[in-house]
Amino acid sequence: MISRLLAEIPGAHLTGDPQERLPGHASFVIRGVSGESLLVALDAAGFAVSSGSACAAGMDEPSPALLAIGLPAELAQTAIRFTLAAPLDTRGIDRVLAVLRAETEGRHHPGLETRARGATSPRVLDVTRRG
């Protein structure tokens, strides 16, 4: 799901390391699109996702964890988080991407920062490891 979402959704960026992550967990920011609007659309399609990071659940402010990795507040507020008990099959991934495509088409606002401090790729946001 991660690779397809990054390839097919304009402005999407993975937060954290692409390999060293919890199984079934993926968090993305999508430049210029409200995380809450994505949450509502995905929920209506039958997908239980969260916006922001787990440490910021229920808060209206940007996630402290996402700010700590260097994301600007306006980009951190676009975060959506998937926590899956089992991998999605191709049909499920197609459905997620269809919802995201419908929500993101024509809604991007240029000028929002897309790279975190130390990011090595414009599509993957690096987590700075601290001792």
Side-chain angles (χ1 to χ4, degrees), residues 35-91:
E36 288 298 319
S37 70
L38 296 174
L39 176 96
V40 169
L42 287 163
D43 183 62
F47 294 100
V49 300
S50 301
S51 64
S53 68
C55 66
M59 294 174 45
D60 287 335
E61 298 299 315
S63 157
L66 296 176
L67 295 174
I69 67 169
L71 291 178
E74 60 275 358
L75 188 57
Q77 293 221 230
T78 72
I80 56 171
R81 180 172 29 92
F82 294 84
T83 305
L84 307 169
L88 288 176
D89 60 16
T90 301
R91 184 171 171 258

Side-chain angles (χ1 to χ4, degrees), residues 93-116:
I93 294 170
D94 290 344
R95 288 181 47 225
V96 166
L97 294 177
V99 171
L100 293 177
R101 248 186 246 104
E103 288 299 307
T104 59
E105 287 177 358
R107 295 188 181 192
H108 288 284
H109 303 285
L112 289 180
E113 191 68 33
T114 60
R115 286 190 189 206

Side-chain angles (χ1 to χ4, degrees), residues 15-41:
T15 62
D17 189 276
Q19 304 300 321
E20 294 183 36
R21 52 190 328 103
L22 295 172
H25 178 86
S27 172
F28 302 90
V29 292
I30 302 177
R31 186 183 63 240
V33 180
S34 162
E36 288 298 319
S37 70
L38 296 174
L39 176 96
V40 169

